[in-house]
């Protein structure tokens, strides 16, 4: 029996009014890793009653960025900016999840504090220490 995309479903504690989910999209519009009012507007425009949105990749530390314009969620200022986004989505009855991430070795030293090499779980320490 086929299930319609517009059939409600329960996902954990969330009651979705349909099965159409907005997947994460890379937008690169944050300034200094802080979500802007345009973020709240963008996500609110796409919110539906009981619909699920997944945010763009959101960095978890100052070493997590892989390209410019990523929003972060590791400082109080960033968290406060995201609260405005969440409030805008909730005002439309939507549900929003934050996709958190870290670029790891896909990053570049130009995006790292002090121009350091990117942090990676698989990095060869001899490349950094020169030993």
């Amino acid at each position: 029996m086929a299930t319609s995309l517009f059939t409600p479903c329960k996902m954990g504690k969330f009651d979705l009014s349909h099965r159409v989910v907005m997947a994460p999209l890379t937008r690169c519009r944050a300034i200094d890793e802080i979500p802007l009012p345009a973020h709240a507007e963008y996500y609110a425009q796409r919110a539906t009653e009981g619909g699920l949105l997944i945010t763009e990749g959101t960095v978890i530390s100052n070493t997590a960025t892989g390209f410019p314009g990523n929003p972060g969620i590791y400082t109080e200022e960033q968290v406060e900016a995201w609260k405005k986004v969440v409030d805008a989505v909730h005002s439309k009855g939507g549900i929003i999840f934050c996709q958190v991430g870290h670029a790891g070795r896909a990053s570049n030293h130009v995006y790292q504090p002090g121009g350091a090499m990117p942090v990676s779980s698989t990095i060869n320490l001899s490349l950094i220490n020169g030993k």
Side-chain angles (χ1 to χ4, degrees):
M1 176 192 223
T3 301
S4 167
L5 285 174
F6 302 103
T7 304
C9 70
K10 185 157 185 71
M11 187 183 78
K13 69 177 190 173
F14 300 97
D15 292 314
L16 304 181
S17 61
H18 53 77
R19 296 161 189 260
V20 179
V21 175
M22 186 179 118
L25 303 166
T26 302
R27 302 198 63 243
C28 300
R29 298 209 175 156
I31 304 293
D32 297 326
E33 298 183 346
I34 300 166
L36 303 171
H39 284 79
E41 180 181 4
Y42 172 84
Y43 287 106
Q45 287 172 340
R46 289 150 180 81
T48 59
E49 183 72 37
L52 175 61
L53 308 176
I54 303 173
T55 71
E56 62 208 273
T58 304
V59 297
I60 58 169
S61 76
N62 68 339
T63 63
T65 299
F67 43 87
N70 279 11
I73 195 161
Y74 60 90
T75 70
E76 190 61 35
E77 187 175 13
Q78 293 163 344
V79 170
E80 290 304 313
W82 274 113
K83 285 179 182 179
K84 293 173 185 168
V85 174
V86 170
D87 289 346
V89 170
H90 287 173
S91 75
K92 301 280 185 108
I95 301 161
I96 186 167
F97 287 6
C98 183
Q99 176 191 225
V100 296
H102 193 294
R105 70 179 182 182
S107 185
N108 186 291
H109 68 91
V110 299
Y111 304 120
Q112 299 303 308
M117 292 295 291
V119 174
S120 173
S121 62
T122 59
I123 195 162
N124 181 343
L125 292 177
S126 67
L127 296 175
I128 295 173
N129 299 329
K131 298 178 184 176

PDB file of all heavy atoms in Angstrom, residues 3-4 6 12 15 31 33-35 41-42 55 63-64 73 76-77 92 102 104 116 120 129 131:
ATOM      1  N   THR A   3       2.047   5.117   0.507  1.00  0.00           N
ATOM      2  CA  THR A   3       1.785   6.189   1.455  1.00  0.00           C
ATOM      3  C   THR A   3       2.008   7.515   0.742  1.00  0.00           C
ATOM      4  O   THR A   3       3.042   7.718   0.123  1.00  0.00           O
ATOM      5  CB  THR A   3       2.741   6.085   2.663  1.00  0.00           C
ATOM      6  OG1 THR A   3       2.560   4.820   3.283  1.00  0.00           O
ATOM      7  CG2 THR A   3       2.469   7.177   3.669  1.00  0.00           C
ATOM      8  N   SER A   4       1.052   8.404   0.855  1.00  0.00           N
ATOM      9  CA  SER A   4       1.150   9.709   0.223  1.00  0.00           C
ATOM     10  C   SER A   4       2.158  10.585   0.971  1.00  0.00           C
ATOM     11  O   SER A   4       2.286  10.505   2.199  1.00  0.00           O
ATOM     12  CB  SER A   4      -0.211  10.391   0.229  1.00  0.00           C
ATOM     13  OG  SER A   4      -0.082  11.753  -0.099  1.00  0.00           O
ATOM     14  N   PHE A   6       1.726  13.458   1.578  1.00  0.00           N
ATOM     15  CA  PHE A   6       0.939  14.403   2.358  1.00  0.00           C
ATOM     16  C   PHE A   6       0.208  13.734   3.522  1.00  0.00           C
ATOM     17  O   PHE A   6      -0.670  14.331   4.140  1.00  0.00           O
ATOM     18  CB  PHE A   6      -0.020  15.154   1.436  1.00  0.00           C
ATOM     19  CG  PHE A   6       0.729  15.873   0.351  1.00  0.00           C
ATOM     20  CD1 PHE A   6       0.764  15.373  -0.930  1.00  0.00           C
ATOM     21  CD2 PHE A   6       1.469  17.010   0.642  1.00  0.00           C
ATOM     22  CE1 PHE A   6       1.489  16.013  -1.924  1.00  0.00           C
ATOM     23  CE2 PHE A   6       2.204  17.658  -0.335  1.00  0.00           C
ATOM     24  CZ  PHE A   6       2.217  17.162  -1.620  1.00  0.00           C
ATOM     25  N   GLY A  12       9.491  10.351  16.248  1.00  0.00           N
ATOM     26  CA  GLY A  12       9.857  10.547  17.650  1.00  0.00           C
ATOM     27  C   GLY A  12       8.757  11.301  18.367  1.00  0.00           C
ATOM     28  O   GLY A  12       7.596  10.923  18.307  1.00  0.00           O
ATOM     29  N   ASP A  15       5.074  15.453  15.679  1.00  0.00           N
ATOM     30  CA  ASP A  15       3.958  15.089  14.812  1.00  0.00           C
ATOM     31  C   ASP A  15       4.069  15.928  13.539  1.00  0.00           C
ATOM     32  O   ASP A  15       3.835  17.141  13.560  1.00  0.00           O
ATOM     33  CB  ASP A  15       2.619  15.354  15.507  1.00  0.00           C
ATOM     34  CG  ASP A  15       2.401  14.425  16.684  1.00  0.00           C
ATOM     35  OD1 ASP A  15       2.644  13.210  16.517  1.00  0.00           O
ATOM     36  OD2 ASP A  15       2.015  14.904  17.759  1.00  0.00           O
ATOM     37  N   ILE A  31      27.355  36.441   8.399  1.00  0.00           N
ATOM     38  CA  ILE A  31      28.476  37.363   8.544  1.00  0.00           C
ATOM     39  C   ILE A  31      29.145  37.052   9.883  1.00  0.00           C
ATOM     40  O   ILE A  31      28.483  37.022  10.920  1.00  0.00           O
ATOM     41  CB  ILE A  31      28.001  38.839   8.514  1.00  0.00           C
ATOM     42  CG1 ILE A  31      27.213  39.129   7.247  1.00  0.00           C
ATOM     43  CG2 ILE A  31      29.179  39.784   8.690  1.00  0.00           C
ATOM     44  CD1 ILE A  31      28.000  39.083   5.959  1.00  0.00           C
ATOM     45  N   GLU A  33      30.023  34.335  10.980  1.00  0.00           N
ATOM     46  CA  GLU A  33      29.380  33.111  11.464  1.00  0.00           C
ATOM     47  C   GLU A  33      28.126  33.363  12.296  1.00  0.00           C
ATOM     48  O   GLU A  33      27.678  32.507  13.036  1.00  0.00           O
ATOM     49  CB  GLU A  33      30.382  32.222  12.211  1.00  0.00           C
ATOM     50  CG  GLU A  33      31.522  31.756  11.316  1.00  0.00           C
ATOM     51  CD  GLU A  33      32.503  30.824  11.983  1.00  0.00           C
ATOM     52  OE1 GLU A  33      32.513  30.700  13.219  1.00  0.00           O
ATOM     53  OE2 GLU A  33      33.289  30.199  11.247  1.00  0.00           O
ATOM     54  N   ILE A  34      27.526  34.550  12.145  1.00  0.00           N
ATOM     55  CA  ILE A  34      26.314  34.894  12.890  1.00  0.00           C
ATOM     56  C   ILE A  34      25.125  34.911  11.920  1.00  0.00           C
ATOM     57  O   ILE A  34      25.152  35.631  10.921  1.00  0.00           O
ATOM     58  CB  ILE A  34      26.456  36.273  13.569  1.00  0.00           C
ATOM     59  CG1 ILE A  34      27.636  36.240  14.552  1.00  0.00           C
ATOM     60  CG2 ILE A  34      25.161  36.674  14.281  1.00  0.00           C
ATOM     61  CD1 ILE A  34      28.072  37.594  15.026  1.00  0.00           C
ATOM     62  N   PRO A  35      24.093  34.112  12.197  1.00  0.00           N
ATOM     63  CA  PRO A  35      22.894  34.157  11.361  1.00  0.00           C
ATOM     64  C   PRO A  35      22.285  35.559  11.373  1.00  0.00           C
ATOM     65  O   PRO A  35      22.280  36.241  12.397  1.00  0.00           O
ATOM     66  CB  PRO A  35      21.952  33.147  12.017  1.00  0.00           C
ATOM     67  CG  PRO A  35      22.842  32.256  12.805  1.00  0.00           C
ATOM     68  CD  PRO A  35      23.985  33.119  13.258  1.00  0.00           C
ATOM     69  N   GLU A  41      13.942  35.071   7.965  1.00  0.00           N
ATOM     70  CA  GLU A  41      12.969  35.250   6.889  1.00  0.00           C
ATOM     71  C   GLU A  41      12.982  34.051   5.938  1.00  0.00           C
ATOM     72  O   GLU A  41      11.928  33.524   5.563  1.00  0.00           O
ATOM     73  CB  GLU A  41      13.285  36.531   6.120  1.00  0.00           C
ATOM     74  CG  GLU A  41      12.331  36.797   4.982  1.00  0.00           C
ATOM     75  CD  GLU A  41      12.674  38.065   4.213  1.00  0.00           C
ATOM     76  OE1 GLU A  41      13.692  38.721   4.503  1.00  0.00           O
ATOM     77  OE2 GLU A  41      11.896  38.394   3.304  1.00  0.00           O
ATOM     78  N   TYR A  42      14.172  33.613   5.553  1.00  0.00           N
ATOM     79  CA  TYR A  42      14.318  32.486   4.616  1.00  0.00           C
ATOM     80  C   TYR A  42      13.642  31.228   5.158  1.00  0.00           C
ATOM     81  O   TYR A  42      12.841  30.591   4.466  1.00  0.00           O
ATOM     82  CB  TYR A  42      15.810  32.232   4.380  1.00  0.00           C
ATOM     83  CG  TYR A  42      16.113  30.990   3.586  1.00  0.00           C
ATOM     84  CD1 TYR A  42      16.077  30.994   2.198  1.00  0.00           C
ATOM     85  CD2 TYR A  42      16.470  29.804   4.220  1.00  0.00           C
ATOM     86  CE1 TYR A  42      16.375  29.863   1.460  1.00  0.00           C
ATOM     87  CE2 TYR A  42      16.769  28.657   3.490  1.00  0.00           C
ATOM     88  CZ  TYR A  42      16.721  28.700   2.120  1.00  0.00           C
ATOM     89  OH  TYR A  42      17.004  27.571   1.397  1.00  0.00           O
ATOM     90  N   THR A  55      18.287  22.848   8.895  1.00  0.00           N
ATOM     91  CA  THR A  55      19.090  24.021   8.542  1.00  0.00           C
ATOM     92  C   THR A  55      20.304  23.651   7.707  1.00  0.00           C
ATOM     93  O   THR A  55      20.707  22.497   7.624  1.00  0.00           O
ATOM     94  CB  THR A  55      19.616  24.751   9.789  1.00  0.00           C
ATOM     95  OG1 THR A  55      20.634  23.965  10.413  1.00  0.00           O
ATOM     96  CG2 THR A  55      18.509  25.072  10.767  1.00  0.00           C
ATOM     97  N   THR A  63      37.067  26.374  14.692  1.00  0.00           N
ATOM     98  CA  THR A  63      37.933  25.597  13.796  1.00  0.00           C
ATOM     99  C   THR A  63      37.133  24.732  12.833  1.00  0.00           C
ATOM    100  O   THR A  63      37.708  23.961  12.073  1.00  0.00           O
ATOM    101  CB  THR A  63      38.880  24.681  14.598  1.00  0.00           C
ATOM    102  OG1 THR A  63      38.100  23.740  15.339  1.00  0.00           O
ATOM    103  CG2 THR A  63      39.775  25.481  15.530  1.00  0.00           C
ATOM    104  N   ALA A  64      35.816  24.861  12.852  1.00  0.00           N
ATOM    105  CA  ALA A  64      34.953  23.958  12.087  1.00  0.00           C
ATOM    106  C   ALA A  64      34.626  24.435  10.679  1.00  0.00           C
ATOM    107  O   ALA A  64      34.096  23.676   9.880  1.00  0.00           O
ATOM    108  CB  ALA A  64      33.652  23.717  12.853  1.00  0.00           C
ATOM    109  N   ILE A  73      27.173  27.997  15.783  1.00  0.00           N
ATOM    110  CA  ILE A  73      26.275  27.876  16.940  1.00  0.00           C
ATOM    111  C   ILE A  73      27.098  27.586  18.198  1.00  0.00           C
ATOM    112  O   ILE A  73      26.687  26.855  19.073  1.00  0.00           O
ATOM    113  CB  ILE A  73      25.169  26.824  16.693  1.00  0.00           C
ATOM    114  CG1 ILE A  73      24.057  26.977  17.716  1.00  0.00           C
ATOM    115  CG2 ILE A  73      25.740  25.411  16.612  1.00  0.00           C
ATOM    116  CD1 ILE A  73      22.748  26.348  17.344  1.00  0.00           C
ATOM    117  N   GLU A  76      27.491  32.667  22.339  1.00  0.00           N
ATOM    118  CA  GLU A  76      26.193  33.153  22.821  1.00  0.00           C
ATOM    119  C   GLU A  76      25.509  34.021  21.759  1.00  0.00           C
ATOM    120  O   GLU A  76      24.304  33.930  21.550  1.00  0.00           O
ATOM    121  CB  GLU A  76      26.371  33.937  24.119  1.00  0.00           C
ATOM    122  CG  GLU A  76      25.070  34.272  24.812  1.00  0.00           C
ATOM    123  CD  GLU A  76      24.261  33.052  25.224  1.00  0.00           C
ATOM    124  OE1 GLU A  76      24.848  32.019  25.610  1.00  0.00           O
ATOM    125  OE2 GLU A  76      23.015  33.118  25.138  1.00  0.00           O
ATOM    126  N   GLU A  77      26.284  34.851  21.061  1.00  0.00           N
ATOM    127  CA  GLU A  77      25.722  35.716  20.024  1.00  0.00           C
ATOM    128  C   GLU A  77      25.104  34.894  18.892  1.00  0.00           C
ATOM    129  O   GLU A  77      24.022  35.214  18.382  1.00  0.00           O
ATOM    130  CB  GLU A  77      26.812  36.638  19.477  1.00  0.00           C
ATOM    131  CG  GLU A  77      26.313  37.685  18.528  1.00  0.00           C
ATOM    132  CD  GLU A  77      27.398  38.652  18.089  1.00  0.00           C
ATOM    133  OE1 GLU A  77      28.594  38.397  18.314  1.00  0.00           O
ATOM    134  OE2 GLU A  77      27.030  39.677  17.491  1.00  0.00           O
ATOM    135  N   LYS A  92       5.163  29.923  12.456  1.00  0.00           N
ATOM    136  CA  LYS A  92       4.403  29.375  11.319  1.00  0.00           C
ATOM    137  C   LYS A  92       3.948  27.943  11.588  1.00  0.00           C
ATOM    138  O   LYS A  92       3.406  27.285  10.717  1.00  0.00           O
ATOM    139  CB  LYS A  92       5.261  29.389  10.053  1.00  0.00           C
ATOM    140  CG  LYS A  92       5.753  30.760   9.646  1.00  0.00           C
ATOM    141  CD  LYS A  92       4.644  31.504   8.916  1.00  0.00           C
ATOM    142  CE  LYS A  92       5.115  32.825   8.395  1.00  0.00           C
ATOM    143  NZ  LYS A  92       5.268  32.890   6.984  1.00  0.00           N
ATOM    144  N   HIS A 102      31.361  19.953  11.186  1.00  0.00           N
ATOM    145  CA  HIS A 102      32.754  20.380  11.250  1.00  0.00           C
ATOM    146  C   HIS A 102      33.400  19.969   9.942  1.00  0.00           C
ATOM    147  O   HIS A 102      33.294  18.819   9.526  1.00  0.00           O
ATOM    148  CB  HIS A 102      33.443  19.698  12.434  1.00  0.00           C
ATOM    149  CG  HIS A 102      34.767  20.271  12.788  1.00  0.00           C
ATOM    150  ND1 HIS A 102      35.863  20.193  11.954  1.00  0.00           N
ATOM    151  CD2 HIS A 102      35.172  20.932  13.896  1.00  0.00           C
ATOM    152  CE1 HIS A 102      36.894  20.773  12.534  1.00  0.00           C
ATOM    153  NE2 HIS A 102      36.502  21.237  13.707  1.00  0.00           N
ATOM    154  N   GLY A 104      36.460  19.581   9.186  1.00  0.00           N
ATOM    155  CA  GLY A 104      37.612  18.685   9.325  1.00  0.00           C
ATOM    156  C   GLY A 104      38.709  19.037   8.348  1.00  0.00           C
ATOM    157  O   GLY A 104      38.965  20.204   8.065  1.00  0.00           O
ATOM    158  N   ALA A 116      46.219  28.380  11.290  1.00  0.00           N
ATOM    159  CA  ALA A 116      46.659  27.018  11.632  1.00  0.00           C
ATOM    160  C   ALA A 116      46.141  26.004  10.609  1.00  0.00           C
ATOM    161  O   ALA A 116      45.207  26.279   9.856  1.00  0.00           O
ATOM    162  CB  ALA A 116      46.148  26.648  13.023  1.00  0.00           C
ATOM    163  N   SER A 120      41.681  17.719  12.211  1.00  0.00           N
ATOM    164  CA  SER A 120      41.121  16.505  11.631  1.00  0.00           C
ATOM    165  C   SER A 120      41.445  15.318  12.513  1.00  0.00           C
ATOM    166  O   SER A 120      42.525  15.237  13.081  1.00  0.00           O
ATOM    167  CB  SER A 120      41.698  16.275  10.235  1.00  0.00           C
ATOM    168  OG  SER A 120      41.284  15.025   9.745  1.00  0.00           O
ATOM    169  N   ASN A 129      54.079  19.143  13.027  1.00  0.00           N
ATOM    170  CA  ASN A 129      55.265  19.285  13.869  1.00  0.00           C
ATOM    171  C   ASN A 129      56.565  19.229  13.079  1.00  0.00           C
ATOM    172  O   ASN A 129      57.626  19.523  13.626  1.00  0.00           O
ATOM    173  CB  ASN A 129      55.280  18.201  14.947  1.00  0.00           C
ATOM    174  CG  ASN A 129      54.066  18.285  15.856  1.00  0.00           C
ATOM    175  OD1 ASN A 129      53.535  19.375  16.085  1.00  0.00           O
ATOM    176  ND2 ASN A 129      53.613  17.156  16.356  1.00  0.00           N
ATOM    177  N   LYS A 131      58.145  16.647  12.168  1.00  0.00           N
ATOM    178  CA  LYS A 131      58.994  15.523  12.637  1.00  0.00           C
ATOM    179  C   LYS A 131      58.639  14.247  11.911  1.00  0.00           C
ATOM    180  O   LYS A 131      57.602  13.997  11.490  1.00  0.00           O
ATOM    181  CB  LYS A 131      58.793  15.322  14.145  1.00  0.00           C
ATOM    182  CG  LYS A 131      59.219  16.531  14.932  1.00  0.00           C
ATOM    183  CD  LYS A 131      58.959  16.296  16.406  1.00  0.00           C
ATOM    184  CE  LYS A 131      59.294  17.540  17.205  1.00  0.00           C
ATOM    185  NZ  LYS A 131      58.977  17.413  18.582  1.00  0.00           N
TER     186      LYS A 131
END
